[in-house]
Amino acid sequence: MTRILPILTILLAIVAFWYAAAIWMNAPWQNTLNTRAGLDSVPFADFVQQTWSQDKPVLPAPHQVFAEIWNATVALELTSRRSLAYHGWITLSATLLGFAFGTALGVVLAVAIIHNDASDRSLMPWIIASQTVPILAVAPMVVVGLGAVGLTGLVPKALISMYLSFFPVVVGMVKGLRSPEPIQLDLLRTYDANGWQVFWKLRWPAAMPFLFASMKVGIAISLIGAVVAELSNASGGGLGVRLLTGSYNGQTVQIWAALFLAAFLAAVLVAIVGSAERWVNARMGARA
Amino acid sequence: MTAVVQAERLGLTFPSGDGDIVALADVNLTIEKGEFVSFIGPSGCGKTTFLRTIADLETPSSGTLTINGQTPGAARKARAYGYVFQAAALYPWRNIEKNVALPLEIMNYPAAEQAERVRRTLELVNLTGFEKKYPWQLSGGMQQRASIARALSFDADLLLMDEPFGALDEIVRDHLNSELLKLWARTEKTICFVTHSIPEAVYLSTKIVVMSPRPGRVTDIIESNLPRERPLDIRETPEFLEIAARVRDGLRAGHSYDEEVA
Amino acid sequence: MTAVVQAERLGLTFPSGDGDIVALADVNLTIEKGEFVSFIGPSGCGKTTFLRTIADLETPSSGTLTINGQTPGAARKARAYGYVFQAAALYPWRNIEKNVALPLEIMNYPAAEQAERVRRTLELVNLTGFEKKYPWQLSGGMQQRASIARALSFDADLLLMDEPFGALDEIVRDHLNSELLKLWARTEKTICFVTHSIPEAVYLSTKIVVMSPRPGRVTDIIESNLPRERPLDIRETPEFLEIAARVRDGLRAGHSYDEEVA
Amino acid sequence: MRGQLSYFQLYLALVAAGAGALGLVFSLPDPGANPPMTLFFAAATLSLLRLALPFSLWLDGLLTVLGAGALLAALGGGAGLPPHHWLALISAWAFAWLFVERLSGAIRAGKLPETGTGLVIPVMFGLALLVVWEVVTRGANVPAVLLPPPSAIAARLMAETHILWADFVQTFIKSVLPGYAIGCLAGLLVAIAVDRSPFLKAGLLPIGNFMSALPIIGIAPIMVMWFGFDWQSKAAVVVAMTFFPMLVNAVAGLNAASAMERDLMETYAASYWQTLVKLRLPAAGPFIFNALKINSTLALIGAIVAEFFGTPVVGMGFRISTGVGRLAIDLVWAEIAVAAVAGSAFYGVIALIERGVTFWHPSVRGGRA
Amino acid sequence: ADALTLQLKWVTQAQFAGYLVAEAKGFYDEEDLDVTILAGGPNIAPEQVIAGGGADIIVTWMAAGMAARESGVPLVNIAQPYKRSGLMMICPTETGITSEADFPGHTLGVWFFGNEYPFFAWMNKLGLATDGSEGGVTVLQQSFDVQPMIQGQADCISVMTYNEYGQALDAGYGPDNLTIFNYTEMGNDLLEDGLYVMEDTLDDPAKVDAYTRFVRASMKGWAYALDNPEEAAEIVVEADDTGAAEYDHQFYMVNEVTKLVDPDDAALDMATYERTVQALLDQGIITQTPEGAYTTVVTDGL
Ligand SMILES: Nc1ncnc2c1ncn2[C@@H]1O[C@H](COP(=O)(O)OP(=O)(O)OP(=O)(O)O)[C@@H](O)[C@H]1O
Ligand SMILES: Nc1ncnc2c1ncn2[C@@H]1O[C@H](COP(=O)(O)OP(=O)(O)OP(=O)(O)O)[C@@H](O)[C@H]1O
Ligand SMILES: Cc1ncc(C[n+]2csc(CCO)c2C)c(N)n1
Ligand SMILES: [Mg+2]
Ligand SMILES: [Mg+2]
């Protein structure tokens, strides 16, 4: 209860604000419609009702979005291509695969960087540069390029997720693997521990807080990557495709529904990483 | 037989933005196998730095240093020594048992022997019952004892101990002092021991090295002729007090604010 | 006049996964204004915990504790005390000068006075010349002295000092002991002082609290009738040695492995 | 025998010389067909002499340059590369790698100065990548509309500087910088607010996580709807994009101060703000900079992506999307190159500031951040 | 069966009803073809896909196709089912725009990504500057919907008769409160959805034969869609694996696109071709009159 109450309060505040904003943002268009229909002097209560039930509102009211989510998930068969759950699953699988690739790649690169001077000096600047390449520009080319060699579906999307998510992991892990105090390293030096032992017994555990912070960012970005990739390739479905087609058809409610589902997925994923973090912390004897 | 530690004209300077710090200057010292050498000197005189240099954790700026006739690096690779740091340096994610087992894991002791050694050394420092606690659950002195246990858990011939008993009360200290002496007598280890306690230094050592600061130099080397078997009450004998007085004089001479002291 | 520290049936238990740790049990103690109280006891007996409870850093599980007649929390808010931790706890991003100035900044001393106080206290602990160095550039003892300077830089009426001189050599320790005594005599401060050195405790204190472990209890409170003016050589007087012997007995009684000790 | 080479370096040296020797064998039937290439193969084979003689690392650098030059010269015809010339690519790459390995080894050993030579390594690596790119795209006749060679991109870069500059101003100066500043600041402030109030922490953090997980791509059309077509909507996307990493990292960082460091502040009865400014923010520094660095690249991506959803007809994202549509792929890559340079410089500046501000952290004290 | 991959210019919708119907009704199978239809999207350039070998035939607009040809992708038009342009520019009357003369000083929404050429050719003809300078128009890269008009961010927006115009009608706009500039009616139309292949494949008679059968089956699909708009709309909805296509909208679209397509004649109309090429040349979109950019071998063989 003590955990739910604050969330509920903030949630209520947001929903109230949202409804108010919906009136405000949808009013101009509603006025146009009413004028056109020859309706002047609509009572305010009715007018509010109208702004909350437009077909293509600038800002859909919360209940519209949730009705759409409900209709597109629970009310439909899971395997239906109109089901948001179906599209959510497609995006989720690409996200998870890409995140797994990205985390692995990020850790491997970080390890190479802290252990090899040449890698550090040569790789780091280019890893950074790689992230300044606008992914949406490259994504279609990647999809086209991989399509040309026969790779379609999940893998191109996962690769784009990986491309985005490995970066926070590299940056965080390089910092984390370098975070042990000199005296902690000295201790292992006195045992003449080999590089492998220094890594597993000191650097890796010391880097855990950094790894989890990075993974939280990484998994959220990974989802963005999957969605971006889906925007480049309208066949195959996924939440990105729903966003796109919603946008073409001016279906704001559909856009928001897809957005919310994506955000919900990301929040769940971040929460899962968070619980993993707490579990590992507990196993590592962290102070409660 | 070669000396265990042999320093000749050893110097070490820390570069630093605003003026270099000369931590060791012109240190000459020979330590033979089986000796128990105490280092004593004002804070900041370079005791830790000297121990770290022996352990190949710092590189001398000048002079030569050999350990068992080898370079410090080769000695370190041969796992010639165990080191007790001035700070406990326990790993916060390992419980006490695991912290003590760390060097054993690294040196690939069989699991059963690891457990046995951990049990034995923890008992030696009187920490039985705290095996599963994490460092932050222990008092300062308990942490220090855990770090001593860690260095004793494997059998290095040379022990480098930097103020190991600083945070311990007199009784525990006496206890550990005599345990250490027993261990030393039994195993013929060579021990380098930093302490601030003159009685402790005299009680334990065959040789006491007095250092003075800025730059860190050896001002006196006092050979003790006390017998190898030392009951605790040897500390009241005139021989003992005489050596202690000599150490105190050497120490005072190296101090910058003698005059002020009443 | 109310007592500065008044503990009645004070208890403190640390909850822990595998069995709670009783750090303090049934502690009764009154400290009057102007007293110099030393705490002595085996490692892990709860000395640090007791000081932390006075400082409102731990909350008692049972019993009552008042500081200047207030709750510990109120006393802390009134900045009633200065605390020297067992570890130096210097901030790595501040150089020594800035570390010492930290409480002064927080208590909004004028800049000129800050500079003057920093200079004075650093001189007191003999760290002049190291103002611009960062903590990791100092030896263990130097870090400890910096943290003492930090606690002395502002004028709290109650000083809580947890083994402040543990990492210092005898000469510096003597020097700081007598400086501390002078300060105490001049300012009428109340001082709670944890130490492992029996001579130090006897030399400094008006009252010595002997504690024993598991659970941490006060086993003896020894009032010292030594004069307030204490030259260093008072330590050889019979009165002194008598009190020291009583402390040693109390200490030994509390120890779990008396028998083993030779 | 193996001189001062590590086993790994020796391995690279053998690959380099071996590929060269094999190439020489294939070239022998007609050694005059491509003299520079034959020369390179011969020189690479001769590098086996290092097994017997001291062999300066600069010679490896020279061989790299020679190999790259021979390869680029061989591309002239436009008919692709004969099969055995690919061996030169392998050999030259191995020489390059060997060169940077040895160079960084020499710098670490203090035989060469850090300043100056330290820069050679990333530059060498980058140039090596460019050469490989050039050789592969032209040597294997990759369609230019899929991936143009760097030379074509460079030509575009030179020819269209005014367009590129206008796009840079629109995207980087107008959208990225303000959006980055606002987003990072907002993330930090919310982190502090969240940290300050347990109620907010319990209430806002889960919801904040949720909100910030909104894929920015979906936000972009909405921001355009709300803030109009010009840079304001792009800056808004950048704000949304940079907010989350800062929030997460700052919340973690604000908890980074150790228990005893906090206790010290308690004993001074320091106010919340004093503790914040004098302890928790400095201790959070490494985490905050982590976010600042991640965000410096995210911000640029965000702005560019946002420009895909309606813009005035200027901006890097606009140029990229229209460029792909017009198959002006070399212009697209020129724009990407500008983005990469700007983003790397931005990151570099933040990293420099980090080294200055968090000089005390072990990861900085020990060398590089 | 011969395998062919068709890359559409846009997402699965009734704009491509002929191909989708031909696939669904088995017309391709009847011609012994195994056709894969790839949906497009706002970031997929069909010209790039075919250059990379990801498709055999693409649907694209002639302006984009010719521009790609000059960029080194040798595309050749093999058939032109779309005879007329569906492109329009619409302006709400409250903006005060009633004729081309009113444009200066206004903001016009334009789709880029290869769809901008007809607009620029038109402005070129009107002599209006498009770089935002005095006396010209301000150009906005428009999103692919009618929001910019509804929200007043643009004075005029681009629409297709068969798609966004329908959305505008749904939103309550109509001929009585809109000024409509229809590219076809103004004579400014450039050729839209045509079928293009890579030039070198035309040297292979087997390929040409496959193309011919493909076009024949596709035109059969278009004819079927014209006669059975409801079923065609259903087929489109069924073919869309994103689940976004709505039957009502697709039905509207089928009816609109069949007005632009001549199911009986797949051949390129030379007059329109010449005009398209001239407009592209005038505007500098291409610099040389293209040679061999179309072929009649396929349509001749029908
Ligand atoms: N990493 C370092 N960088 C710069 N100066 C250093 C460093 N480590 C130690 N020093 C300096 O070297 C000198 C000797 O330090 P050292 O730690 O050896 O003293 P010590 O004798 O062990 O003192 P203590 O008894 O206080 O531990 C001191 O002046 C110290 O400031
Ligand atoms: N945070 C904590 N959580 C759990 N147990 C703790 C914690 N802090 C201290 N303890 C336990 O409380 C007991 C008393 O600890 P305390 O630090 O007060 O001892 P001390 O008398 O100061 O010892 P020392 O002389 O070694 O510093 C010890 O047994 C210790 O294990
Ligand atoms: C020309 C050249 N080639 C390879 C490397 C080294 N390197 C590049 S990627 C990689 C794997 C991960 O570190 C390594 C080792 C270099 N520095 N320069
Ligand atoms: Mg030291
Ligand atoms: Mg303690």
Side-chain angles (χ1 to χ4, degrees):
Chain A
M1 196 53 210
T2 48
R3 291 186 57 191
I4 298 297
L5 190 69
I7 301 187
L8 235 49
T9 317
I10 306 266
L11 216 55
L12 269 174
I14 290 177
V15 167
F17 179 78
W18 184 351
Y19 269 111
I23 302 176
W24 180 63
M25 300 193 83
N26 297 336
W29 176 239
Q30 196 59 47
N31 279 328
T32 317
L33 282 182
N34 288 351
T35 321
R36 214 175 275 152
L39 295 168
D40 23 51
S41 77
V42 181
F44 184 69
D46 292 354
F47 182 75
V48 165
Q49 204 53 57
Q50 287 177 328
T51 57
W52 288 348
S53 51
Q54 286 178 8
D55 207 21
K56 295 181 175 180
V58 175
L59 177 62
H63 67 266
Q64 291 181 291
V65 174
F66 287 102
E68 167 75 15
I69 292 181
W70 180 268
N71 291 337
T73 51
V74 184
L76 284 174
E77 264 182 64
L78 275 185
T79 50
S80 158
R81 283 177 306 193
R82 295 181 160 270
S83 162
L84 260 187
Y86 165 80
H87 292 287
W89 166 247
I90 292 180
T91 303
L92 180 66
S93 42
T95 302
L96 289 180
L97 191 64
F99 174 67
F101 286 171
T103 306
L105 178 65
V107 170
V108 166
L109 286 176
V111 170
I113 284 171
I114 64 148
H115 282 117
N116 181 307
D117 266 15
S119 292
D120 183 9
R121 291 169 194 277
S122 55
L123 233 42
M124 207 51 198
W126 295 96
I127 289 177
I128 294 157
S130 79
Q131 294 303 300
T132 58
V133 171
I135 185 64
L136 199 64
V138 184
M141 298 192 230
V142 172
V143 171
V144 167
L146 291 177
V149 299
L151 269 179
T152 53
L154 198 60
V155 177
K157 292 201 255 179
L159 284 179
I160 288 164
S161 286
M162 174 185 88
Y163 181 89
L164 284 181
S165 63
F166 87 90
F167 182 66
V169 178
V170 178
V171 173
M173 282 304 278
V174 166
K175 186 119 218 149
L177 292 172
R178 283 191 180 142
S179 70
E181 285 287 336
I183 194 165
Q184 295 177 317
L185 282 161
D186 284 346
L187 181 72
L188 290 185
R189 220 170 119 80
T190 70
Y191 304 147
D192 187 40
N194 60 34
W196 191 245
Q197 291 171 321
V198 173
F199 183 77
W200 280 117
K201 304 215 183 271
L202 177 56
R203 291 190 187 273
W204 180 255
M208 279 299 108
F210 292 84
L211 176 65
F212 280 106
S214 302
M215 289 210 305
K216 282 187 201 162
V217 177
I219 198 156
I221 295 188
S222 183
L223 186 92
I224 293 179
V227 170
V228 166
E230 283 161 0
L231 289 177
S232 312
N233 188 5
S235 53
L239 292 176
V241 173
R242 293 288 290 198
L243 282 175
L244 192 73
T245 52
S247 163
Y248 300 147
N249 300 320
Q251 301 279 11
T252 26
V253 184
Q254 187 186 320
I255 300 181
W256 280 81
L259 264 183
F260 260 75
L261 194 65
F264 174 74
L265 273 185
V268 168
L269 292 175
V270 171
I272 291 174
V273 175
S275 356
E277 176 178 24
R278 275 188 299 281
W279 183 78
V280 169
N281 275 345
R283 297 230 350 182
M284 286 177 36
R287 222 167 172 141
Chain B
M1 210 185 72
T2 55
V4 174
V5 177
Q6 171 101 45
E8 267 165 43
R9 309 191 58 78
L10 193 70
L12 196 152
T13 306
F14 288 108
S16 153
D18 49 333
D20 293 354
I21 301 176
V22 182
L24 294 175
D26 197 22
V27 172
N28 293 294
L29 185 69
T30 306
I31 300 175
E32 301 292 347
K33 179 156 175 56
E35 277 195 282
F36 195 126
V37 183
S38 286
F39 293 81
I40 198 160
S43 134
C45 71
K47 305 180 293 295
T48 298
T49 307
F50 186 56
L51 249 57
R52 287 176 58 84
T53 314
I54 296 178
D56 187 39
L57 298 175
E58 305 283 353
T59 315
S61 325
S62 62
T64 59
L65 177 68
T66 58
I67 315 295
N68 297 327
Q70 303 171 296
T71 63
R76 180 173 63 75
K77 296 224 165 58
R79 289 169 179 160
Y81 61 83
Y83 198 126
V84 181
F85 288 95
Q86 192 165 2
L90 301 172
Y91 288 179
W93 53 85
R94 286 178 166 249
N95 62 25
I96 297 309
E97 184 176 77
K98 283 272 165 64
N99 261 296
V100 174
L102 178 67
L104 306 174
E105 288 174 18
I106 287 177
M107 298 173 192
N108 290 320
Y109 281 68
E113 189 173 350
Q114 285 189 23
E116 170 54 21
R117 284 174 175 260
V118 167
R119 198 196 53 68
R120 207 170 59 213
T121 46
L122 278 180
E123 191 183 306
L124 184 78
V125 299
N126 205 29
L127 276 178
T128 310
F130 289 86
E131 290 85 357
K132 304 285 179 207
K133 295 274 182 278
Y134 284 90
W136 55 271
Q137 295 177 307
L138 297 195
S139 76
M142 292 158 95
Q143 293 180 22
Q144 207 178 22
R145 282 184 275 155
S147 90
I148 295 168
R150 185 178 57 191
L152 294 180
S153 67
F154 64 102
D155 286 315
D157 282 337
L158 173 61
L159 273 179
L160 306 173
M161 309 179 84
D162 196 353
E163 295 187 46
F165 304 147
L168 303 180
D169 68 289
E170 211 161 279
I171 310 293
V172 180
R173 202 164 174 150
D174 282 351
H175 168 68
L176 286 178
N177 274 346
S178 64
E179 289 294 321
L180 188 61
L181 268 187
K182 277 191 223 156
L183 186 82
W184 173 66
R186 194 171 66 232
T187 57
E188 290 258 297
K189 283 184 200 296
T190 313
I191 299 182
C192 296
F193 189 92
V194 175
T195 179
H196 284 310
S197 161
I198 297 174
E200 186 172 76
V202 178
Y203 174 65
L204 293 172
S205 317
T206 58
K207 184 185 265 175
I208 299 160
V209 177
V210 183
M211 298 180 70
S212 86
R214 264 158 276 166
R217 236 168 321 139
V218 172
T219 50
D220 200 0
I221 299 181
I222 300 158
E223 302 277 348
S224 158
N225 43 10
L226 296 177
R228 235 181 140 89
E229 283 285 309
R230 301 175 187 183
L232 273 171
D233 50 21
I234 199 172
R235 293 182 294 191
E236 267 102 68
T237 63
E239 295 85 350
F240 186 97
L241 293 175
E242 191 202 77
I243 300 176
R246 187 165 156 210
V247 174
R248 187 165 292 116
D249 287 344
L251 204 51
R252 188 158 293 152
H255 256 284
S256 44
Y257 47 68
D258 301 331
E259 318 79 57
E260 298 171 33
V261 182
Chain C
M1 212 183 76
T2 54
V4 174
V5 177
Q6 172 100 46
E8 268 166 41
R9 310 190 58 78
L10 194 70
L12 195 152
T13 305
F14 288 108
S16 152
D18 49 334
D20 293 354
I21 302 177
V22 182
L24 294 176
D26 197 21
V27 171
N28 294 294
L29 185 68
T30 307
I31 300 175
E32 302 292 347
K33 180 156 174 52
E35 278 196 279
F36 195 125
V37 183
S38 285
F39 293 81
I40 200 162
S43 141
C45 71
K47 306 178 292 295
T48 298
T49 307
F50 186 55
L51 248 56
R52 288 176 59 84
T53 315
I54 296 179
D56 188 37
L57 298 174
E58 304 283 354
T59 313
S61 322
S62 62
T64 60
L65 177 67
T66 59
I67 314 296
N68 297 328
Q70 303 172 296
T71 62
R76 180 172 64 76
K77 297 226 166 59
R79 289 165 178 161
Y81 63 81
Y83 197 126
V84 182
F85 289 96
Q86 194 164 359
L90 301 172
Y91 290 178
W93 51 87
R94 287 178 166 250
N95 61 24
I96 297 310
E97 183 176 78
K98 282 273 166 66
N99 261 296
V100 174
L102 178 67
L104 305 175
E105 287 174 18
I106 287 178
M107 298 174 191
N108 290 318
Y109 281 67
E113 189 172 350
Q114 286 189 21
E116 170 54 22
R117 280 172 177 262
V118 168
R119 199 195 53 70
R120 209 171 56 213
T121 43
L122 278 180
E123 193 184 305
L124 184 78
V125 299
N126 205 30
L127 277 179
T128 311
F130 289 86
E131 290 86 357
K132 305 286 178 205
K133 295 272 181 278
Y134 283 88
W136 69 84
Q137 296 178 310
L138 298 193
S139 76
M142 292 159 96
Q143 292 181 21
Q144 207 179 23
R145 284 184 275 154
S147 91
I148 295 169
R150 185 176 57 188
L152 294 180
S153 67
F154 63 102
D155 287 315
D157 283 337
L158 174 60
L159 272 180
L160 307 173
M161 308 180 83
D162 196 353
E163 295 186 45
F165 304 147
L168 303 180
D169 67 290
E170 213 162 279
I171 310 293
V172 179
R173 204 163 171 149
D174 284 351
H175 168 69
L176 286 177
N177 274 345
S178 66
E179 289 294 321
L180 187 60
L181 267 187
K182 275 191 223 157
L183 185 82
W184 172 65
R186 195 170 65 233
T187 56
E188 291 257 298
K189 284 183 199 295
T190 312
I191 298 182
C192 297
F193 189 94
V194 174
T195 180
H196 284 310
S197 159
I198 298 175
E200 185 172 78
V202 179
Y203 174 65
L204 291 171
S205 318
T206 58
K207 185 186 263 173
I208 298 160
V209 179
V210 182
M211 298 179 69
S212 87
R214 266 160 272 164
R217 236 167 321 136
V218 172
T219 49
D220 200 0
I221 298 182
I222 298 158
E223 302 278 346
S224 156
N225 43 10
L226 295 178
R228 238 183 139 87
E229 283 286 308
R230 301 175 186 182
L232 274 171
D233 49 23
I234 200 172
R235 292 183 293 193
E236 268 101 67
T237 63
E239 295 86 350
F240 187 98
L241 294 175
E242 192 203 75
I243 301 176
R246 189 167 154 206
V247 174
R248 185 164 292 113
D249 288 345
L251 205 51
R252 187 158 292 151
H255 255 284
S256 45
Y257 47 67
D258 300 332
E259 319 79 58
E260 299 170 32
V261 182
Chain D
M1 186 58 186
R2 68 186 164 95
Q4 336 88 320
L5 296 187
S6 69
Y7 278 105
F8 178 62
Q9 290 171 351
L10 186 68
Y11 175 75
L12 281 176
L14 291 180
V15 169
L22 211 58
L24 190 61
V25 171
F26 284 115
S27 307
L28 280 181
D30 187 6
N34 190 335
M37 190 60 80
T38 314
L39 185 69
F40 168 68
F41 282 138
T45 313
L46 276 180
S47 78
L48 276 174
L49 284 177
R50 80 173 78 230
L51 296 178
L53 299 171
F55 201 81
S56 160
L57 64 92
W58 299 108
L59 278 177
D60 287 319
L62 190 69
L63 278 165
T64 308
V65 174
L66 196 61
L71 275 164
L72 293 180
L75 287 174
L81 283 181
H84 71 272
H85 282 188
W86 293 101
L87 286 166
L89 191 61
I90 296 172
S91 175
W93 178 270
F95 277 121
W97 194 337
L98 183 60
F99 174 62
V100 297
E101 283 284 337
R102 293 183 66 187
L103 193 59
S104 65
I107 292 175
R108 190 182 25 196
K111 288 188 205 131
L112 287 171
E114 166 78 48
T115 39
T117 32
L119 218 61
V120 172
I121 295 175
V123 169
M124 187 80 186
F125 184 74
L127 285 179
L129 280 184
L130 288 181
V131 169
V132 171
W133 181 352
E134 180 85 25
V135 170
V136 168
T137 46
R138 285 172 60 194
N141 290 319
V142 174
V145 295
L146 271 193
L147 187 63
S151 52
I153 297 170
R156 265 307 184 117
L157 205 59
M158 297 302 168
E160 312 272 15
T161 37
H162 56 288
I163 292 187
L164 293 168
W165 173 249
D167 292 344
F168 175 78
V169 169
Q170 169 76 16
T171 304
F172 196 82
I173 309 283
K174 289 189 185 162
S175 313
V176 170
L177 290 183
Y180 177 82
I182 297 172
C184 290
L185 201 63
L188 187 59
L189 292 181
V190 172
I192 290 172
V194 155
D195 181 76
R196 172 94 222 237
S197 143
F199 188 79
L200 277 185
K201 190 168 196 153
L204 206 59
L205 209 53
I207 296 171
N209 282 351
F210 179 80
M211 296 296 212
S212 47
L214 289 177
I216 68 123
I217 206 77
I219 285 187
I222 293 168
M223 291 295 161
V224 170
M225 217 187 258
W226 290 0
F227 294 101
F229 275 84
D230 214 340
W231 58 268
Q232 292 87 344
S233 57
K234 317 302 173 281
V237 170
V238 174
V239 169
M241 190 117 180
T242 51
F243 178 83
F244 180 56
M246 180 53 90
L247 181 70
V248 169
N249 275 281
V251 167
L254 287 173
N255 287 318
S258 73
M260 194 176 298
E261 288 170 336
R262 280 164 211 254
D263 285 348
L264 185 70
M265 281 296 178
E266 289 275 290
T267 70
Y268 301 147
S271 71
Y272 170 81
W273 291 107
Q274 288 175 320
T275 309
L276 186 71
V277 170
K278 297 198 187 293
L279 171 59
R280 305 184 58 208
L281 280 180
F287 289 81
I288 291 173
F289 272 100
N290 201 21
L292 286 175
K293 287 198 287 191
I294 291 175
N295 280 348
S296 68
T297 63
L298 275 187
L300 196 59
I301 299 182
I304 288 175
V305 167
E307 282 178 348
F308 283 37
F309 294 84
T311 61
V313 286
V314 61
M316 302 169 86
F318 166 78
R319 200 74 58 200
I320 288 171
S321 69
T322 57
V324 172
R326 288 179 172 185
L327 291 200
I329 307 295
D330 42 4
L331 181 60
V332 170
W333 279 98
E335 203 73 65
I336 290 175
V338 172
V341 170
S344 306
F346 192 14
Y347 185 101
V349 168
I350 306 280
L352 273 184
I353 298 175
E354 175 185 33
R355 295 187 80 176
V357 174
T358 64
F359 63 92
W360 50 271
H361 194 259
S363 67
V364 179
R365 253 193 277 153
R368 277 175 296 278
Chain E
D2 298 297
L4 284 180
T5 302
L6 174 69
Q7 173 69 56
L8 303 180
K9 179 177 168 46
W10 199 243
V11 295
T12 308
Q13 58 176 358
Q15 179 185 359
F16 312 106
Y19 315 107
L20 298 169
V21 167
E23 169 70 6
K25 301 302 288 182
F27 300 162
Y28 290 135
D29 295 337
E30 288 167 18
E31 295 283 358
D32 194 30
L33 290 172
D34 178 8
V35 175
T36 309
I37 300 179
L38 299 178
N43 303 309
I44 296 281
E47 301 84 9
Q48 206 185 14
V49 175
I50 196 170
D56 301 298
I57 309 174
I58 61 171
V59 177
T60 193
W61 290 9
M62 179 164 281
M66 292 301 123
R69 193 178 162 83
E70 267 209 356
S71 304
V73 185
L75 292 178
V76 177
N77 181 301
I78 54 166
Q80 187 64 40
Y82 270 64
K83 291 295 181 288
R84 284 169 292 280
S85 161
L87 191 60
M88 303 198 293
M89 176 145 290
I90 58 174
C91 319
T93 38
E94 60 257 33
T95 60
I97 297 173
T98 54
S99 72
E100 293 169 341
D102 299 324
F103 279 147
H106 283 93
T107 302
L108 312 183
V110 177
W111 296 317
F112 280 81
F113 210 81
N115 303 300
E116 68 273 33
Y117 303 116
F119 170 80
F120 284 110
W122 178 27
M123 290 297 124
N124 191 44
K125 197 167 118 188
L126 293 180
L128 287 177
T130 52
D131 51 8
S133 59
E134 198 62 27
V137 295
T138 304
V139 177
L140 209 65
Q141 188 204 11
Q142 181 191 326
S143 48
F144 291 92
D145 57 30
V146 296
Q147 291 293 343
M149 177 177 75
I150 292 181
Q151 283 158 43
Q153 286 160 344
D155 298 314
C156 304
I157 59 166
S158 301
V159 295
M160 301 306 297
T161 54
Y162 47 81
N163 192 359
E164 294 81 8
Y165 185 60
Q167 292 180 32
L169 294 176
D170 284 349
Y173 285 101
D176 36 320
N177 53 15
L178 287 178
T179 307
I180 299 175
F181 299 94
N182 183 310
Y183 281 70
T184 309
E185 284 168 13
M186 293 186 298
N188 290 333
D189 55 324
L190 303 186
L191 285 166
E192 292 178 2
D193 300 18
L195 296 173
Y196 294 79
V197 300
M198 294 292 270
E199 189 163 355
D200 52 352
T201 61
L202 290 166
D203 300 337
D204 177 359
K207 274 281 182 193
V208 172
D209 179 52
Y211 295 156
T212 310
R213 284 179 281 138
F214 173 81
V215 173
R216 190 183 305 126
S218 301
M219 296 319 283
K220 203 171 154 192
W222 277 117
Y224 190 89
L226 181 64
D227 296 336
N228 309 282
E230 295 90 353
E231 191 185 346
E234 270 165 25
I235 287 173
V236 172
V237 170
E238 193 48 42
D240 170 31
D241 52 9
T242 69
E246 309 259 356
Y247 174 79
D248 289 344
H249 187 56
Q250 297 305 324
F251 181 63
Y252 165 84
M253 197 183 292
V254 175
N255 284 319
E256 288 298 319
V257 296
T258 45
K259 292 177 191 163
L260 307 176
V261 173
D262 182 352
D264 302 323
D265 177 18
L268 184 64
D269 174 59
M270 287 325 292
T272 331
Y273 171 75
E274 301 291 357
R275 189 161 48 72
T276 300
V277 168
Q278 194 53 52
L280 296 177
L281 281 169
D282 289 347
Q283 205 214 321
I285 294 166
I286 55 176
T287 53
Q288 288 161 357
T289 311
E291 296 287 338
Y294 64 91
T295 175
T296 55
V297 287
V298 172
T299 43
D300 290 347
L302 287 178

